[in-house]
Amino acid sequence: MPEPLPTMDFDKILGKCGDFNRYQLLILALFGLVNIMVSMHYFTQTVISFVPDHWCYHEKLENRSYDEIAAIYSKFPNPSCTLLSDVNGLNATASTEKCSKWIYKYDFGYRSMNTELNWVCDASYKSTIGQSLFFIGSVVGTLFYGLLSDKIGRLPALILSNFSGFVGDFSTIFTKQVTTFTLCRFISGLAADTNFYLMYIIVLEYMRPTMRTLGLNIAVGVFYTLGLVFTPWLAVLTGHWQYYLASTSLPLLLIILFYFVIQESAQWLVTRNDVDGAIKRLKRVAKFNGRHVTQAEFDEFRKYCQKQREKHGGDDQKHSSLIDMFRTPRMRKHTLILFFKSMVITLCYDVVSRNVEGMGISPFVMFSLSALVVLPSSLMLVLLQDRIGRKGMASGSLLVGGFFTVAAGIAIAYQQHNHNAVLLACLTVAARFGVAISYESGSQYATELIPTCVRGQGVAAVHVAGFAASFLAPYILWLGTFFKAAPSLILGVLFFSGSFVCLLLPETLNKTLPKTIEEGEVFGKGERMFDFPCLSQQNKKSEDKNSEQEPYSKRKRNQSLTIGLECNHETDANRNSYT
């Protein structure tokens, strides 16, 4: 008699060790801590570069109020950069010379890097170069640490990534020249996004599929929101950009302690054919959760892994790389769709999130107000994503985000010279709400859809595609000089296109996630464009209801027919046994 095939896959053994217990709550809490640090790190460049209202210095303006100074300069086309030759009451004449000193109207007394180094007017490009190098660093770091996470593990790559963020931000404190400033921003950018999504992957791979949406999005919603809302006021509290950088960079060193608390991803170890290492981590998780798992159950899991390795060609999955995601047609299509979706979301998210100046309201207040939408967007995901599915949420949120972004963009464009601060604040917050839903749902969808053996590299590549698209933001906004509604219409078309292509992806809700390239190729095969879990459940309920309403006599005939077929089958089986 042949030996039965082992059925103890990873999800089953993890369920026995505890897939939503004390250990999962611990890593969710640590993930929340990471969210606070990441939110402050990512927007550090924005906060240290805040530029308040400012005017060229003149000795006769020293004892004037800010309102009087603004009234004097209002007669000139470029008041912030116009040097006055003479001031007589509220009348003044302009000089042909350039400014070398400015009067700043500090918001809440906060002194930014741009105001201290006078990187305004003709020198404003210096901070912009630093911001560009930050994004270039994020592209390089995302690729490098994503590849590293699939080679040496999720946990070491997470620690090294955050250490890069600490080195870059802390060294920025001592910079005075644009060359050293851009170098430090590049180093800081190496950590951007990898310091978030690597921890995201670790949590996802140790959590029960039905609890991923709840756990991950609540952690992001609560703690990322706290970090964003607190970020500008931490700058106000410290009062100076150097103290602010010190207070945001030093906590990143705490991530080093994660090495002694968090277990390396057991799923990743299985893809590296280190089953013993995976079992070792699972035993620690089971002990922490107070679960008793027998050695026989771990042995069955070992046999299952051995069978899977033989089935998929030995060590092939160990050497899988990002290129393998493009070798087969369905994986290639899914990867390209994820790239495009990430480009659309990141581009719009970055523009909406950073556009907090020049709206007639303090950038600190505007930053905090727009950040408040992150928690409601996470709660919206928790309520809806496990009902309508990942595909429906991704497509629907992009559709809604498109409408919000178009509305906000058109309003900003057509109120360029006469800002209604309340209206712009409301529309900007609404736009960010839609984009935030798209961003959070897209992160989970991509992480679940990409096979475990290349998850680190694949998620990294998806994020890099988004970062690359963010370079287009200035050029899209520049088109508004020719046609004011052009930027919003372009972003709207991108959003709607992203919404459509998401319908071509397979659903991942309550499914065993692919671990190898082969499993990724056949994952969701046969699904149709509008197959959503919510519709499937409704169809099932309708069928059950129709079955209940079926006439008794008809049900009785069907039951009799079934019993008759079973009896005939049993008789044939007995006849064969006698033979």
Side-chain angles (χ1 to χ4, degrees):
M1 187 173 181
E3 182 181 354
L5 294 174
T7 59
M8 186 67 73
D9 61 11
F10 184 84
D11 287 341
K12 290 181 180 178
I13 192 67
L14 180 62
K16 293 182 177 295
C17 296
D19 51 12
F20 195 73
N21 210 305
R22 288 196 293 262
Y23 179 73
Q24 283 70 28
L25 295 178
L26 171 66
I27 58 177
L28 276 174
L30 295 177
F31 181 51
L33 179 63
V34 168
N35 271 275
I36 294 176
M37 296 180 183
V38 166
S39 62
M40 291 191 294
H41 172 262
Y42 185 75
F43 290 102
T44 290
Q45 182 66 36
T46 303
V47 174
I48 67 173
S49 302
F50 276 161
V51 179
D53 291 336
H54 57 285
W55 307 271
C56 280
Y57 173 81
H58 193 280
E59 61 272 9
K60 292 186 178 181
L61 298 177
E62 286 185 351
N63 297 321
R64 300 291 186 96
S65 66
Y66 290 123
D67 291 337
E68 289 177 328
I69 296 173
I72 293 171
Y73 274 101
S74 64
K75 302 170 185 178
F76 301 98
N78 189 12
S80 298
C81 306
T82 301
L83 181 63
L84 301 180
S85 61
D86 186 41
V87 178
N88 184 13
L90 295 179
N91 297 318
T93 55
S95 172
T96 57
E97 298 180 7
K98 291 185 178 180
C99 270
S100 59
K101 189 177 180 181
W102 284 264
I103 300 171
Y104 294 101
K105 184 182 178 181
Y106 296 108
D107 281 311
F108 299 98
Y110 171 70
R111 296 174 181 268
S112 68
M113 185 179 194
N114 286 41
T115 59
E116 182 171 292
L117 301 180
N118 286 326
W119 284 0
V120 293
C121 294
D122 291 341
S124 61
Y125 73 92
K126 295 180 180 180
S127 62
T128 304
I129 292 176
Q131 189 164 340
S132 298
L133 265 292
F134 180 89
F135 282 115
I136 293 174
S138 67
V139 171
V140 175
T142 301
L143 285 174
F144 174 72
Y145 288 118
L147 178 64
L148 202 64
S149 71
D150 283 336
K151 296 298 181 183
I152 67 173
R154 319 292 198 214
L155 194 54
L158 172 69
I159 294 171
L160 291 173
S161 171
N162 279 277
F163 188 73
S164 297
F166 162 74
V167 171
D169 281 354
F170 195 76
S171 58
T172 303
I173 296 173
F174 308 100
T175 60
K176 299 294 182 182
Q177 303 297 324
V178 65
T179 305
T180 53
F181 173 69
T182 52
L183 175 62
C184 292
R185 300 321 297 158
F186 174 81
I187 296 173
S188 176
L190 292 174
D193 234 27
T194 49
N195 53 2
F196 166 80
Y197 80 74
L198 288 177
M199 187 65 185
Y200 189 99
I201 291 175
I202 290 174
V203 176
L204 182 141
E205 292 180 342
Y206 269 115
M207 189 169 291
R208 183 190 310 164
T210 56
M211 298 304 296
R212 286 172 185 157
T213 297
L214 175 64
L216 289 168
N217 287 293
I218 287 295
V220 172
V222 173
F223 293 100
Y224 198 77
T225 300
L226 283 175
L228 286 179
V229 173
F230 185 62
T231 290
W233 304 111
L234 177 62
V236 172
L237 183 65
T238 56
H240 195 275
W241 67 275
Q242 290 176 315
Y243 297 139
Y244 168 76
L245 278 176
S247 60
T248 57
S249 60
L250 288 172
L252 292 173
L253 293 175
L254 293 174
I255 305 297
I256 297 174
L257 300 178
F258 282 22
Y259 183 82
F260 304 101
V261 181
I262 298 177
Q263 302 301 318
E264 180 56 83
S265 169
Q267 272 198 41
W268 172 78
L269 289 168
V270 170
T271 66
R272 308 301 292 176
N273 296 328
D274 186 7
V275 181
D276 291 334
I279 292 176
K280 181 180 178 181
R281 271 69 178 186
L282 288 170
K283 286 182 176 179
R284 291 175 180 173
V285 171
K287 182 179 179 180
F288 192 90
N289 287 335
R291 294 291 189 91
H292 177 70
V293 185
T294 65
Q295 186 59 42
E297 289 170 324
F298 282 119
D299 290 339
E300 187 178 353
F301 171 65
R302 190 193 308 274
K303 291 179 182 178
Y304 175 84
C305 294
Q306 180 64 32
K307 291 289 184 182
Q308 290 297 310
R309 184 170 61 182
E310 293 173 358
K311 178 181 177 181
H312 294 295
D315 294 337
D316 285 350
Q317 61 177 326
K318 182 176 179 179
H319 302 290
S320 298
S321 65
L322 180 64
I323 303 300
D324 295 320
M325 295 176 64
F326 294 91
R327 296 190 189 280
T328 53
R330 296 188 75 251
M331 274 296 297
R332 181 167 56 247
K333 181 185 75 172
H334 296 163
T335 303
L336 292 175
I337 291 174
L338 290 175
F339 279 13
F340 179 72
K341 182 167 69 70
S342 178
M343 293 169 69
V344 169
I345 294 174
T346 306
L347 177 62
C348 297
Y349 183 85
D350 197 67
V351 171
V352 173
S353 298
R354 295 177 184 274
N355 188 26
V356 294
E357 296 184 59
M359 292 190 178
I361 189 172
S362 168
F364 295 96
V365 176
M366 191 65 241
F367 194 98
S368 294
L369 285 176
S370 60
L372 289 174
V373 303
V374 176
L375 179 57
S377 66
S378 297
L379 294 177
M380 184 74 73
L381 283 174
V382 171
L383 292 173
L384 297 180
Q385 186 157 261
D386 283 347
R387 296 175 183 269
I388 65 177
R390 312 294 194 252
K391 179 168 67 174
M393 199 68 198
S395 179
S397 60
L398 283 168
L399 187 64
V400 173
F403 285 121
F404 280 148
T405 304
V406 167
I410 292 176
I412 291 173
Y414 282 99
Q415 293 190 9
Q416 193 171 11
H417 300 293
N418 186 21
H419 287 166
N420 185 325
V422 175
L423 176 62
L424 289 182
C426 292
L427 288 174
T428 302
V429 169
R432 185 164 181 179
F433 176 74
V435 177
I437 294 177
S438 304
Y439 195 87
E440 291 183 47
S441 65
S443 296
Q444 183 174 348
Y445 200 10
T447 306
E448 291 181 345
L449 198 56
I450 296 173
T452 304
C453 61
V454 290
R455 185 165 289 153
Q457 303 171 60
V459 174
V462 169
H463 283 251
V464 164
F467 282 131
S470 65
F471 287 112
L472 298 175
Y475 302 101
I476 291 178
L477 294 173
W478 175 71
L479 293 175
T481 59
F482 302 98
F483 177 55
K484 292 180 181 180
S488 57
L489 293 177
I490 291 173
L491 293 181
V493 169
L494 290 174
F495 259 116
F496 299 144
S497 301
S499 176
F500 171 75
V501 297
C502 280
L503 297 174
L504 305 177
L505 292 173
E507 181 56 63
T508 62
L509 177 63
N510 295 332
K511 294 184 179 180
T512 300
L513 303 182
K515 298 178 179 61
T516 64
I517 296 294
E518 290 79 7
E519 291 178 358
E521 173 63 17
V522 299
F523 184 79
K525 197 170 186 178
E527 283 189 21
R528 294 172 297 180
M529 181 181 291
F530 294 102
D531 281 347
F532 301 117
C534 56
L535 297 180
S536 301
Q537 293 174 1
Q538 290 178 358
N539 292 336
K540 185 178 179 181
K541 289 179 181 178
S542 300
E543 291 175 1
D544 294 341
K545 187 176 181 180
N546 292 334
S547 177
E548 292 174 359
Q549 294 174 351
E550 189 177 353
Y552 174 79
S553 58
K554 186 176 181 180
R555 291 204 310 270
K556 194 71 177 176
R557 286 197 302 272
N558 291 338
Q559 291 175 1
S560 301
L561 179 61
T562 303
I563 294 172
L565 290 172
E566 290 176 351
C567 291
N568 292 337
H569 178 72
E570 184 177 352
T571 304
D572 292 341
N574 292 335
R575 189 182 298 114
N576 291 335
S577 64
Y578 290 137
T579 304

